[in-house]
Amino acid sequence: LFTLLFDTGATCTTLNRESLDALGLSIPPDAPRVTLQTANGRLEAELVLVDAIWLGDSPVEWVTVAVCESCASKTSVGLLGLNVSQRFQVALDHDRREISFERRGSGDDRSLDIRNWLRIRSQVTKHWDGRIEVDLQGFNDARQEIRSAVVRLECSGQSFAIQLDAIPPLGEASVQVELPREADCSEQELELTRAYWGLDRFE
């Protein structure tokens, strides 16, 4: 049982190394990293994937946790971030000085967690007959399947949503889609807009 400080400004949940050791979780040398804005300034933190975090009797599967010593205190081992709290309807009772968490539906977007583990690459091909095809690849660095991911492809002011399905643990998946012939993808940007784990325990 761990005590976390509910931080409405924290995107990512954090734990200190002592807590990770107690959970039997090690930090691999190739762990992804993220930059955190803390009360003590910006710092770079390693990320680990925790099988589940329970708030009372409500579990949240496959939570990305940042390793942060300065985020802990004498009364808490880290911060409860948006990647967990967004799964709940949060209510604050000022008179009782209580915060309540009511579970939302199971279909919530998990892109805040998954974006740290999913690498996306695209290749645009314009054929001689004017057809424009996009090959989109997703590389999953997590040890859990990504059930689906929706990527927004921005091409010179035009936006296209492309979905990748069933990206296996430590594996990859790809999809090919055809764009309108007038699309100009000489310059492009990719953004993960929605993503879902393949949940297999409590959902």
Side-chain angles (χ1 to χ4, degrees):
L1 179 63
F2 295 123
T3 299
L4 299 176
L5 176 66
F6 179 37
D7 187 342
T8 57
T11 300
C12 190
T13 296
T14 73
L15 288 173
N16 59 10
R17 290 179 183 271
E18 182 180 350
S19 301
L20 292 173
D21 290 342
L23 293 170
L25 292 173
S26 59
I27 305 167
D30 60 346
R33 293 173 174 267
V34 68
T35 300
L36 302 177
Q37 181 65 52
T38 72
N40 298 318
R42 295 167 65 88
L43 60 88
E44 190 175 76
E46 298 157 306
L47 298 176
V48 294
L49 191 61
V50 177
D51 291 22
I53 286 182
W54 293 72
L55 265 63
D57 58 358
S58 295
V60 179
E61 283 190 73
W62 304 112
V63 176
T64 299
V65 169
V67 185
C68 180
E69 296 302 315
S70 62
C71 299
S73 67
K74 292 181 179 179
T75 57
S76 67
V77 298
L79 306 175
L80 181 69
L82 183 61
N83 62 329
V84 171
S85 63
Q86 71 172 357
R87 304 296 307 277
F88 299 84
Q89 181 70 44
V90 181
L92 178 63
D93 188 325
H94 290 279
D95 293 334
R96 296 183 178 181
R97 303 179 68 183
E98 292 180 349
I99 300 175
S100 61
F101 294 83
E102 182 178 347
R103 187 64 179 261
R104 297 182 188 271
S106 60
D108 291 355
D109 170 30
R110 298 297 299 276
S111 57
L112 284 180
D113 287 295
I114 292 173
R115 69 184 183 185
N116 301 291
W117 306 95
L118 180 61
R119 293 175 289 123
I120 306 167
R121 183 183 304 161
S122 71
Q123 181 176 338
V124 179
T125 304
K126 187 169 185 177
H127 296 278
W128 64 271
D129 59 358
R131 289 182 299 111
I132 299 175
E133 289 183 336
V134 176
D135 289 293
L136 189 72
Q137 292 178 295
F139 302 88
N140 182 5
D141 293 326
R143 53 189 174 86
Q144 176 64 10
E145 179 193 34
I146 298 172
R147 175 166 52 87
S148 67
V150 178
V151 177
R152 183 169 64 228
L153 171 65
E154 294 280 349
C155 289
S156 301
Q158 289 183 287
S159 180
F160 307 96
I162 304 174
Q163 182 165 319
L164 284 165
D165 291 314
I167 312 173
L170 305 176
E172 62 183 85
S174 62
V175 65
Q176 186 179 81
V177 297
E178 188 169 331
L179 300 184
R181 292 178 180 241
E182 68 273 13
D184 177 11
C185 287
S186 54
E187 295 184 6
Q188 55 180 283
E189 293 183 7
L190 296 171
E191 181 184 6
L192 181 67
T193 58
R194 297 192 308 277
Y196 305 88
W197 292 119
L199 302 179
D200 55 10
R201 297 189 180 192
F202 313 108
E203 301 294 332

